[in-house]
Amino acid sequence: MARPKIIVTRKLPEPVEARLKSLFTVALNPTDAPFSKEKLTTAMTRADGLLCTFGDKMDADILTANGKRSTKIIANFGVGTNHIDLETAEDIGVVVTNTPGVLNDATADLAMALILASTRRMYFHEARLRRGEWGGFDISSGLGSSLRGKTLGVIGMGRIGTALAQRAHFGFGMKVIYFNRSKVLVPSISEAHAVESINALMAEADVVSLHVPGDVDNHHLIGTERLALMKPGAHLINTARGDVVDEAALISALEAGAIAGAGLDVFEQEPRVPEALVALENVTLLPHIGSATLETRIAMGMRAVDNLVAFFADKVPPHQVM
Ligand code: DGY
């Protein structure tokens, strides 16, 4: 029997590409340049399986491919699937899988790095130094704030939120409170306690970190009103999805100094980052690199391949989303 044909939309780490080649007929993307809408649509008519990722917007037009679809499975490289029209995929019988579990540490590490960058005002200091404006050691200007004894508020106490809570509490001496939309049955760390609402968390935390999926319910979860509840010295960290935060409202809060700072790895219209954000020195901006370590990207790729292998062996893929 002919090997299933897999089209891969981005450059993958070498060991993942090698494994794919050993198992399937594969069309790789050597350049890492994203596919256009037309190219994604054509891929849906030529592949048995598509390995794509965040940024490949798989809308209804692409998924149905004008009735010429051959693709039966979309193996997403990543946990979040908000770039895929899951309803249409379900309607037309396309299986969608993801790669959870293997990126918790990398993403929690990056959230912790953003907490440190924001509270210690690293970008502000680095920019000043690079502009040649550093006049030498000084004692009392540009001071940041310490983490020990401060409160971290985690919104979304899933795997990544939990991994961050552990780092913040055990590594940096922070108290942890959290809000999760469903009840967390086994508290991640016994020292963390749940609060009754997002509003209560926003008002109490010194650092708020977002770890919710980018679904319709979470669109602009954090907007003007909730930002106004934050303490003036508080920081907002987002490594989840850009549209969880109303970016315009956040810019206004940062410009007004209503909150002390923010650390953002995700944006509403990636890869577009508003100029007003770029101009601010009380925000650290990263280009969606939460899971971007070599080890993690290999593990994610292997998980995507595991899903394809199971599917084409007529088994339920281990990480089937729907
Ligand atoms: C994910 O897994 O959803 C990340 O955002 C992409 O690495």
Side-chain angles (χ1 to χ4, degrees):
M1 201 182 95
R3 291 167 147 207
K5 175 161 185 187
I6 309 298
I7 296 183
V8 182
T9 64
R10 304 294 178 93
K11 177 94 189 92
L12 296 171
E14 200 279 323
V16 182
E17 291 189 343
R19 183 166 171 228
L20 273 171
K21 282 195 272 188
S22 73
L23 295 163
F24 302 106
T25 299
V26 194
L28 296 171
N29 180 352
T31 65
D32 207 17
F35 281 18
S36 62
K37 185 164 178 161
E38 292 67 38
K39 206 164 168 189
L40 284 173
T41 311
T42 306
M44 288 298 290
T45 68
R46 306 234 166 114
D48 298 303
L50 189 76
L51 199 160
C52 68
T53 194
F54 181 77
D56 297 329
K57 194 162 169 36
M58 303 300 291
D59 60 21
D61 287 347
I62 292 172
L63 288 170
T64 49
N66 303 316
K68 296 195 197 118
R69 172 183 64 84
S70 60
T71 298
K72 301 166 214 52
I73 173 170
I74 294 180
N76 182 55
F77 184 106
V79 185
T81 48
N82 60 315
H83 54 292
I84 303 171
D85 180 342
L86 294 179
E87 229 170 88
T88 300
E90 186 165 34
D91 284 351
I92 63 177
V94 172
V95 166
V96 177
T97 63
N98 70 349
T99 64
V102 288
L103 44 71
N104 305 338
D105 283 336
T107 310
D109 287 349
L110 197 87
M112 198 66 231
L114 283 172
I115 292 174
L116 288 165
S118 196
T119 56
R120 298 300 297 273
R121 308 186 63 187
M122 285 188 202
Y123 175 69
F124 164 79
H125 287 293
E126 184 177 351
R128 195 172 59 134
L129 180 149
R130 286 178 189 264
R131 287 195 299 262
E133 291 169 9
W134 183 39
F137 177 83
D138 74 49
I139 291 181
S140 50
S141 68
L143 300 182
S145 52
S146 299
L147 295 180
R148 183 162 299 282
K150 298 279 171 53
T151 300
L152 168 67
V154 176
I155 300 183
M157 198 62 151
R159 285 176 279 226
I160 297 170
T162 296
L164 175 65
Q166 288 165 340
R167 283 157 175 74
H169 179 72
F170 297 113
F172 294 88
M174 296 187 81
K175 295 178 204 153
V176 179
I177 57 175
Y178 66 90
F179 177 83
N180 204 59
R181 65 183 166 191
S182 56
K183 193 168 162 49
V184 176
L185 297 176
V186 184
S188 58
I189 56 172
S190 51
E191 293 82 356
H193 74 268
V195 290
E196 84 226 358
S197 66
I198 293 179
N199 289 1
L201 181 144
M202 299 299 287
E204 191 179 335
D206 298 293
V207 177
V208 174
S209 192
L210 305 173
H211 301 282
V212 292
D215 56 29
V216 278
D217 294 339
N218 291 329
H219 180 76
H220 287 189
L221 186 73
I222 307 300
T224 306
E225 280 156 32
R226 288 198 163 127
L227 288 166
L229 297 172
M230 292 177 79
K231 297 176 184 175
H235 298 258
L236 181 74
I237 307 301
N238 190 6
T239 54
R241 283 291 181 264
D243 76 333
V244 174
V245 177
D246 177 344
E247 220 160 56
L250 176 62
I251 291 168
S252 301
L254 288 165
E255 282 176 345
I259 61 172
L264 307 176
D265 184 43
V266 286
F267 303 90
E268 277 204 71
Q269 306 289 336
E270 292 180 22
R272 196 184 72 80
V273 180
E275 276 172 31
L277 264 184
V278 175
L280 286 167
E281 290 200 340
N282 54 351
V283 58
T284 301
L285 306 172
L286 295 177
H288 202 144
I289 56 166
S291 63
T293 70
L294 178 61
E295 296 84 347
T296 305
R297 290 287 164 86
I298 291 173
M300 290 167 76
M302 292 304 182
R303 203 144 265 203
V305 180
D306 293 342
N307 286 323
L308 289 167
V309 169
F311 178 82
F312 288 108
D314 291 328
K315 298 191 182 125
V316 178
H319 302 289
Q320 183 165 338
V321 177
M322 40 82 19

